[in-house]
PDB file of all heavy atoms in Angstrom:
ATOM      1  N   ALA A   1     -60.875 -30.271  81.735  1.00  0.00           N
ATOM      2  CA  ALA A   1     -60.728 -31.297  82.764  1.00  0.00           C
ATOM      3  C   ALA A   1     -61.522 -30.969  84.030  1.00  0.00           C
ATOM      4  O   ALA A   1     -60.951 -30.804  85.114  1.00  0.00           O
ATOM      5  CB  ALA A   1     -59.261 -31.544  83.105  1.00  0.00           C
ATOM      6  N   PRO A   2     -62.850 -30.875  83.928  1.00  0.00           N
ATOM      7  CA  PRO A   2     -63.670 -30.644  85.135  1.00  0.00           C
ATOM      8  C   PRO A   2     -63.753 -31.938  85.952  1.00  0.00           C
ATOM      9  O   PRO A   2     -64.561 -32.813  85.664  1.00  0.00           O
ATOM     10  CB  PRO A   2     -65.033 -30.246  84.550  1.00  0.00           C
ATOM     11  CG  PRO A   2     -65.086 -30.951  83.223  1.00  0.00           C
ATOM     12  CD  PRO A   2     -63.685 -31.000  82.712  1.00  0.00           C
ATOM     13  N   ASP A   3     -62.951 -32.039  87.001  1.00  0.00           N
ATOM     14  CA  ASP A   3     -62.841 -33.274  87.776  1.00  0.00           C
ATOM     15  C   ASP A   3     -63.794 -33.349  88.960  1.00  0.00           C
ATOM     16  O   ASP A   3     -64.039 -34.439  89.493  1.00  0.00           O
ATOM     17  CB  ASP A   3     -61.407 -33.455  88.290  1.00  0.00           C
ATOM     18  CG  ASP A   3     -60.436 -33.839  87.180  1.00  0.00           C
ATOM     19  OD1 ASP A   3     -60.900 -34.353  86.144  1.00  0.00           O
ATOM     20  OD2 ASP A   3     -59.218 -33.621  87.344  1.00  0.00           O
ATOM     21  N   GLY A   4     -64.299 -32.202  89.422  1.00  0.00           N
ATOM     22  CA  GLY A   4     -65.141 -32.188  90.612  1.00  0.00           C
ATOM     23  C   GLY A   4     -66.524 -31.647  90.345  1.00  0.00           C
ATOM     24  O   GLY A   4     -66.698 -30.716  89.545  1.00  0.00           O
ATOM     25  N   VAL A   5     -67.520 -32.219  91.013  1.00  0.00           N
ATOM     26  CA  VAL A   5     -68.891 -31.755  90.857  1.00  0.00           C
ATOM     27  C   VAL A   5     -69.628 -31.935  92.180  1.00  0.00           C
ATOM     28  O   VAL A   5     -69.439 -32.922  92.900  1.00  0.00           O
ATOM     29  CB  VAL A   5     -69.618 -32.507  89.720  1.00  0.00           C
ATOM     30  CG1 VAL A   5     -69.730 -34.001  90.026  1.00  0.00           C
ATOM     31  CG2 VAL A   5     -70.987 -31.919  89.447  1.00  0.00           C
ATOM     32  N   ALA A   6     -70.462 -30.956  92.517  1.00  0.00           N
ATOM     33  CA  ALA A   6     -71.323 -31.018  93.697  1.00  0.00           C
ATOM     34  C   ALA A   6     -72.585 -30.235  93.390  1.00  0.00           C
ATOM     35  O   ALA A   6     -72.583 -29.319  92.547  1.00  0.00           O
ATOM     36  CB  ALA A   6     -70.621 -30.449  94.936  1.00  0.00           C
ATOM     37  N   ILE A   7     -73.662 -30.583  94.071  1.00  0.00           N
ATOM     38  CA  ILE A   7     -74.943 -29.928  93.822  1.00  0.00           C
ATOM     39  C   ILE A   7     -75.567 -29.545  95.151  1.00  0.00           C
ATOM     40  O   ILE A   7     -75.533 -30.322  96.113  1.00  0.00           O
ATOM     41  CB  ILE A   7     -75.875 -30.841  92.991  1.00  0.00           C
ATOM     42  CG1 ILE A   7     -77.152 -30.107  92.582  1.00  0.00           C
ATOM     43  CG2 ILE A   7     -76.186 -32.133  93.715  1.00  0.00           C
ATOM     44  CD1 ILE A   7     -77.924 -30.846  91.479  1.00  0.00           C
ATOM     45  N   ASP A   8     -76.110 -28.323  95.248  1.00  0.00           N
ATOM     46  CA  ASP A   8     -76.709 -27.886  96.498  1.00  0.00           C
ATOM     47  C   ASP A   8     -78.198 -28.219  96.533  1.00  0.00           C
ATOM     48  O   ASP A   8     -78.754 -28.788  95.593  1.00  0.00           O
ATOM     49  CB  ASP A   8     -76.437 -26.395  96.750  1.00  0.00           C
ATOM     50  CG  ASP A   8     -77.192 -25.460  95.796  1.00  0.00           C
ATOM     51  OD1 ASP A   8     -78.068 -25.927  95.028  1.00  0.00           O
ATOM     52  OD2 ASP A   8     -76.920 -24.243  95.846  1.00  0.00           O
ATOM     53  N   ASP A   9     -78.848 -27.843  97.622  1.00  0.00           N
ATOM     54  CA  ASP A   9     -80.259 -28.187  97.817  1.00  0.00           C
ATOM     55  C   ASP A   9     -81.188 -27.472  96.852  1.00  0.00           C
ATOM     56  O   ASP A   9     -82.338 -27.871  96.684  1.00  0.00           O
ATOM     57  CB  ASP A   9     -80.675 -27.893  99.266  1.00  0.00           C
ATOM     58  CG  ASP A   9     -79.980 -28.805 100.275  1.00  0.00           C
ATOM     59  OD1 ASP A   9     -79.560 -29.908  99.880  1.00  0.00           O
ATOM     60  OD2 ASP A   9     -79.838 -28.400 101.452  1.00  0.00           O
ATOM     61  N   GLU A  10     -80.706 -26.399  96.232  1.00  0.00           N
ATOM     62  CA  GLU A  10     -81.512 -25.662  95.269  1.00  0.00           C
ATOM     63  C   GLU A  10     -81.290 -26.131  93.831  1.00  0.00           C
ATOM     64  O   GLU A  10     -81.880 -25.591  92.905  1.00  0.00           O
ATOM     65  CB  GLU A  10     -81.211 -24.164  95.369  1.00  0.00           C
ATOM     66  CG  GLU A  10     -81.620 -23.548  96.709  1.00  0.00           C
ATOM     67  CD  GLU A  10     -81.343 -22.067  96.769  1.00  0.00           C
ATOM     68  OE1 GLU A  10     -80.687 -21.549  95.843  1.00  0.00           O
ATOM     69  OE2 GLU A  10     -81.787 -21.410  97.727  1.00  0.00           O
ATOM     70  N   GLY A  11     -80.439 -27.137  93.662  1.00  0.00           N
ATOM     71  CA  GLY A  11     -80.191 -27.667  92.331  1.00  0.00           C
ATOM     72  C   GLY A  11     -79.097 -26.967  91.557  1.00  0.00           C
ATOM     73  O   GLY A  11     -78.903 -27.251  90.369  1.00  0.00           O
ATOM     74  N   ILE A  12     -78.358 -26.056  92.199  1.00  0.00           N
ATOM     75  CA  ILE A  12     -77.233 -25.399  91.538  1.00  0.00           C
ATOM     76  C   ILE A  12     -76.049 -26.360  91.519  1.00  0.00           C
ATOM     77  O   ILE A  12     -75.676 -26.926  92.541  1.00  0.00           O
ATOM     78  CB  ILE A  12     -76.851 -24.088  92.245  1.00  0.00           C
ATOM     79  CG1 ILE A  12     -78.014 -23.095  92.185  1.00  0.00           C
ATOM     80  CG2 ILE A  12     -75.613 -23.473  91.606  1.00  0.00           C
ATOM     81  CD1 ILE A  12     -77.779 -21.831  92.979  1.00  0.00           C
ATOM     82  N   ILE A  13     -75.451 -26.535  90.351  1.00  0.00           N
ATOM     83  CA  ILE A  13     -74.337 -27.459  90.177  1.00  0.00           C
ATOM     84  C   ILE A  13     -73.034 -26.669  90.196  1.00  0.00           C
ATOM     85  O   ILE A  13     -72.852 -25.725  89.418  1.00  0.00           O
ATOM     86  CB  ILE A  13     -74.474 -28.234  88.854  1.00  0.00           C
ATOM     87  CG1 ILE A  13     -75.785 -29.031  88.833  1.00  0.00           C
ATOM     88  CG2 ILE A  13     -73.283 -29.159  88.645  1.00  0.00           C
ATOM     89  CD1 ILE A  13     -76.111 -29.617  87.474  1.00  0.00           C
ATOM     90  N   TYR A  14     -72.117 -27.055  91.095  1.00  0.00           N
ATOM     91  CA  TYR A  14     -70.805 -26.433  91.197  1.00  0.00           C
ATOM     92  C   TYR A  14     -69.757 -27.372  90.618  1.00  0.00           C
ATOM     93  O   TYR A  14     -69.819 -28.592  90.807  1.00  0.00           O
ATOM     94  CB  TYR A  14     -70.487 -26.075  92.648  1.00  0.00           C
ATOM     95  CG  TYR A  14     -71.362 -24.970  93.185  1.00  0.00           C
ATOM     96  CD1 TYR A  14     -72.595 -25.248  93.762  1.00  0.00           C
ATOM     97  CD2 TYR A  14     -70.965 -23.643  93.101  1.00  0.00           C
ATOM     98  CE1 TYR A  14     -73.415 -24.234  94.233  1.00  0.00           C
ATOM     99  CE2 TYR A  14     -71.770 -22.621  93.580  1.00  0.00           C
ATOM    100  CZ  TYR A  14     -72.988 -22.923  94.145  1.00  0.00           C
ATOM    101  OH  TYR A  14     -73.802 -21.913  94.615  1.00  0.00           O
ATOM    102  N   ILE A  15     -68.789 -26.791  89.910  1.00  0.00           N
ATOM    103  CA  ILE A  15     -67.827 -27.585  89.149  1.00  0.00           C
ATOM    104  C   ILE A  15     -66.413 -27.104  89.448  1.00  0.00           C
ATOM    105  O   ILE A  15     -66.133 -25.900  89.384  1.00  0.00           O
ATOM    106  CB  ILE A  15     -68.113 -27.462  87.637  1.00  0.00           C
ATOM    107  CG1 ILE A  15     -69.546 -27.936  87.334  1.00  0.00           C
ATOM    108  CG2 ILE A  15     -67.095 -28.245  86.815  1.00  0.00           C
ATOM    109  CD1 ILE A  15     -70.097 -27.387  86.032  1.00  0.00           C
ATOM    110  N   ALA A  16     -65.530 -28.049  89.770  1.00  0.00           N
ATOM    111  CA  ALA A  16     -64.108 -27.755  89.905  1.00  0.00           C
ATOM    112  C   ALA A  16     -63.459 -27.961  88.542  1.00  0.00           C
ATOM    113  O   ALA A  16     -63.258 -29.096  88.102  1.00  0.00           O
ATOM    114  CB  ALA A  16     -63.468 -28.651  90.956  1.00  0.00           C
ATOM    115  N   ASP A  17     -63.152 -26.857  87.860  1.00  0.00           N
ATOM    116  CA  ASP A  17     -62.594 -26.873  86.512  1.00  0.00           C
ATOM    117  C   ASP A  17     -61.070 -26.910  86.648  1.00  0.00           C
ATOM    118  O   ASP A  17     -60.396 -25.882  86.634  1.00  0.00           O
ATOM    119  CB  ASP A  17     -63.075 -25.638  85.754  1.00  0.00           C
ATOM    120  CG  ASP A  17     -62.838 -25.725  84.260  1.00  0.00           C
ATOM    121  OD1 ASP A  17     -62.269 -26.723  83.797  1.00  0.00           O
ATOM    122  OD2 ASP A  17     -63.235 -24.768  83.551  1.00  0.00           O
ATOM    123  N   TYR A  18     -60.536 -28.116  86.753  1.00  0.00           N
ATOM    124  CA  TYR A  18     -59.176 -28.357  87.210  1.00  0.00           C
ATOM    125  C   TYR A  18     -58.110 -27.631  86.394  1.00  0.00           C
ATOM    126  O   TYR A  18     -57.326 -26.854  86.937  1.00  0.00           O
ATOM    127  CB  TYR A  18     -58.925 -29.868  87.216  1.00  0.00           C
ATOM    128  CG  TYR A  18     -57.563 -30.291  87.720  1.00  0.00           C
ATOM    129  CD1 TYR A  18     -57.202 -30.103  89.046  1.00  0.00           C
ATOM    130  CD2 TYR A  18     -56.652 -30.911  86.867  1.00  0.00           C
ATOM    131  CE1 TYR A  18     -55.956 -30.515  89.510  1.00  0.00           C
ATOM    132  CE2 TYR A  18     -55.411 -31.330  87.325  1.00  0.00           C
ATOM    133  CZ  TYR A  18     -55.071 -31.124  88.639  1.00  0.00           C
ATOM    134  OH  TYR A  18     -53.845 -31.530  89.092  1.00  0.00           O
ATOM    135  N   GLU A  19     -58.051 -27.863  85.111  1.00  0.00           N
ATOM    136  CA  GLU A  19     -56.982 -27.292  84.299  1.00  0.00           C
ATOM    137  C   GLU A  19     -57.192 -25.807  84.026  1.00  0.00           C
ATOM    138  O   GLU A  19     -56.221 -25.094  83.737  1.00  0.00           O
ATOM    139  CB  GLU A  19     -56.842 -28.054  82.984  1.00  0.00           C
ATOM    140  CG  GLU A  19     -56.329 -29.485  83.138  1.00  0.00           C
ATOM    141  CD  GLU A  19     -54.868 -29.558  83.560  1.00  0.00           C
ATOM    142  OE1 GLU A  19     -54.189 -28.505  83.602  1.00  0.00           O
ATOM    143  OE2 GLU A  19     -54.393 -30.660  83.870  1.00  0.00           O
ATOM    144  N   ASN A  20     -58.423 -25.321  84.119  1.00  0.00           N
ATOM    145  CA  ASN A  20     -58.658 -23.880  83.989  1.00  0.00           C
ATOM    146  C   ASN A  20     -58.404 -23.134  85.294  1.00  0.00           C
ATOM    147  O   ASN A  20     -58.447 -21.907  85.321  1.00  0.00           O
ATOM    148  CB  ASN A  20     -60.083 -23.612  83.508  1.00  0.00           C
ATOM    149  CG  ASN A  20     -60.234 -23.716  81.998  1.00  0.00           C
ATOM    150  OD1 ASN A  20     -59.301 -23.419  81.242  1.00  0.00           O
ATOM    151  ND2 ASN A  20     -61.417 -24.123  81.540  1.00  0.00           N
ATOM    152  N   ARG A  21     -58.236 -23.860  86.404  1.00  0.00           N
ATOM    153  CA  ARG A  21     -57.956 -23.283  87.729  1.00  0.00           C
ATOM    154  C   ARG A  21     -59.145 -22.445  88.227  1.00  0.00           C
ATOM    155  O   ARG A  21     -58.960 -21.392  88.838  1.00  0.00           O
ATOM    156  CB  ARG A  21     -56.676 -22.410  87.714  1.00  0.00           C
ATOM    157  CG  ARG A  21     -55.539 -22.965  86.877  1.00  0.00           C
ATOM    158  CD  ARG A  21     -55.040 -24.276  87.376  1.00  0.00           C
ATOM    159  NE  ARG A  21     -54.037 -24.827  86.473  1.00  0.00           N
ATOM    160  CZ  ARG A  21     -53.512 -26.060  86.576  1.00  0.00           C
ATOM    161  NH1 ARG A  21     -53.912 -26.862  87.529  1.00  0.00           N
ATOM    162  NH2 ARG A  21     -52.596 -26.463  85.725  1.00  0.00           N
ATOM    163  N   LEU A  22     -60.360 -22.940  87.980  1.00  0.00           N
ATOM    164  CA  LEU A  22     -61.561 -22.173  88.278  1.00  0.00           C
ATOM    165  C   LEU A  22     -62.586 -22.994  89.042  1.00  0.00           C
ATOM    166  O   LEU A  22     -62.599 -24.225  88.976  1.00  0.00           O
ATOM    167  CB  LEU A  22     -62.226 -21.678  86.993  1.00  0.00           C
ATOM    168  CG  LEU A  22     -61.386 -20.854  86.021  1.00  0.00           C
ATOM    169  CD1 LEU A  22     -62.163 -20.638  84.737  1.00  0.00           C
ATOM    170  CD2 LEU A  22     -60.983 -19.523  86.643  1.00  0.00           C
ATOM    171  N   ILE A  23     -63.481 -22.279  89.719  1.00  0.00           N
ATOM    172  CA  ILE A  23     -64.706 -22.867  90.247  1.00  0.00           C
ATOM    173  C   ILE A  23     -65.847 -22.259  89.451  1.00  0.00           C
ATOM    174  O   ILE A  23     -66.014 -21.042  89.399  1.00  0.00           O
ATOM    175  CB  ILE A  23     -64.870 -22.588  91.758  1.00  0.00           C
ATOM    176  CG1 ILE A  23     -63.632 -23.057  92.524  1.00  0.00           C
ATOM    177  CG2 ILE A  23     -66.123 -23.283  92.270  1.00  0.00           C
ATOM    178  CD1 ILE A  23     -63.309 -24.524  92.372  1.00  0.00           C
ATOM    179  N   ARG A  24     -66.638 -23.106  88.834  1.00  0.00           N
ATOM    180  CA  ARG A  24     -67.725 -22.685  87.964  1.00  0.00           C
ATOM    181  C   ARG A  24     -69.051 -23.173  88.548  1.00  0.00           C
ATOM    182  O   ARG A  24     -69.074 -24.041  89.441  1.00  0.00           O
ATOM    183  CB  ARG A  24     -67.570 -23.281  86.562  1.00  0.00           C
ATOM    184  CG  ARG A  24     -66.134 -23.270  85.982  1.00  0.00           C
ATOM    185  CD  ARG A  24     -65.775 -22.061  85.274  1.00  0.00           C
ATOM    186  NE  ARG A  24     -66.542 -21.816  84.066  1.00  0.00           N
ATOM    187  CZ  ARG A  24     -66.250 -22.375  82.860  1.00  0.00           C
ATOM    188  NH1 ARG A  24     -65.244 -23.209  82.710  1.00  0.00           N
ATOM    189  NH2 ARG A  24     -66.971 -22.056  81.782  1.00  0.00           N
ATOM    190  N   LYS A  25     -70.160 -22.646  88.009  1.00  0.00           N
ATOM    191  CA  LYS A  25     -71.457 -23.156  88.429  1.00  0.00           C
ATOM    192  C   LYS A  25     -72.440 -23.102  87.277  1.00  0.00           C
ATOM    193  O   LYS A  25     -72.345 -22.254  86.381  1.00  0.00           O
ATOM    194  CB  LYS A  25     -72.004 -22.408  89.643  1.00  0.00           C
ATOM    195  CG  LYS A  25     -72.540 -21.023  89.387  1.00  0.00           C
ATOM    196  CD  LYS A  25     -73.154 -20.450  90.668  1.00  0.00           C
ATOM    197  CE  LYS A  25     -73.733 -19.048  90.448  1.00  0.00           C
ATOM    198  NZ  LYS A  25     -74.302 -18.497  91.706  1.00  0.00           N
ATOM    199  N   LEU A  26     -73.383 -24.032  87.351  1.00  0.00           N
ATOM    200  CA  LEU A  26     -74.497 -24.080  86.420  1.00  0.00           C
ATOM    201  C   LEU A  26     -75.749 -23.801  87.220  1.00  0.00           C
ATOM    202  O   LEU A  26     -76.172 -24.620  88.040  1.00  0.00           O
ATOM    203  CB  LEU A  26     -74.575 -25.444  85.737  1.00  0.00           C
ATOM    204  CG  LEU A  26     -75.801 -25.694  84.844  1.00  0.00           C
ATOM    205  CD1 LEU A  26     -75.788 -24.761  83.652  1.00  0.00           C
ATOM    206  CD2 LEU A  26     -75.855 -27.142  84.392  1.00  0.00           C
ATOM    207  N   ALA A  27     -76.340 -22.642  87.009  1.00  0.00           N
ATOM    208  CA  ALA A  27     -77.518 -22.226  87.755  1.00  0.00           C
ATOM    209  C   ALA A  27     -78.752 -22.336  86.887  1.00  0.00           C
ATOM    210  O   ALA A  27     -78.777 -21.848  85.747  1.00  0.00           O
ATOM    211  CB  ALA A  27     -77.357 -20.801  88.271  1.00  0.00           C
ATOM    212  N   ILE A  28     -79.770 -22.985  87.416  1.00  0.00           N
ATOM    213  CA  ILE A  28     -81.064 -23.090  86.754  1.00  0.00           C
ATOM    214  C   ILE A  28     -82.036 -22.251  87.561  1.00  0.00           C
ATOM    215  O   ILE A  28     -82.351 -22.571  88.699  1.00  0.00           O
ATOM    216  CB  ILE A  28     -81.528 -24.557  86.662  1.00  0.00           C
ATOM    217  CG1 ILE A  28     -80.475 -25.394  85.931  1.00  0.00           C
ATOM    218  CG2 ILE A  28     -82.872 -24.648  85.944  1.00  0.00           C
ATOM    219  CD1 ILE A  28     -80.769 -26.882  85.935  1.00  0.00           C
TER     220      ILE A  28
END
């Protein structure tokens, strides 16, 4: 249940992984 998403100026995607209780990121 990743309900939240935001992206910074460098293109890194941050994810609020709701049911896992985590903050994750996708880095390119």
Side-chain angles (χ1 to χ4, degrees):
D3 287 338
V5 63
I7 187 166
D8 70 9
D9 293 336
E10 295 181 351
I12 297 174
I13 301 170
Y14 292 87
I15 301 158
D17 194 358
Y18 182 67
E19 292 290 352
N20 277 328
R21 321 297 175 188
L22 305 172
I23 305 301
R24 318 272 295 277
K25 75 175 181 181
L26 173 65
I28 303 173

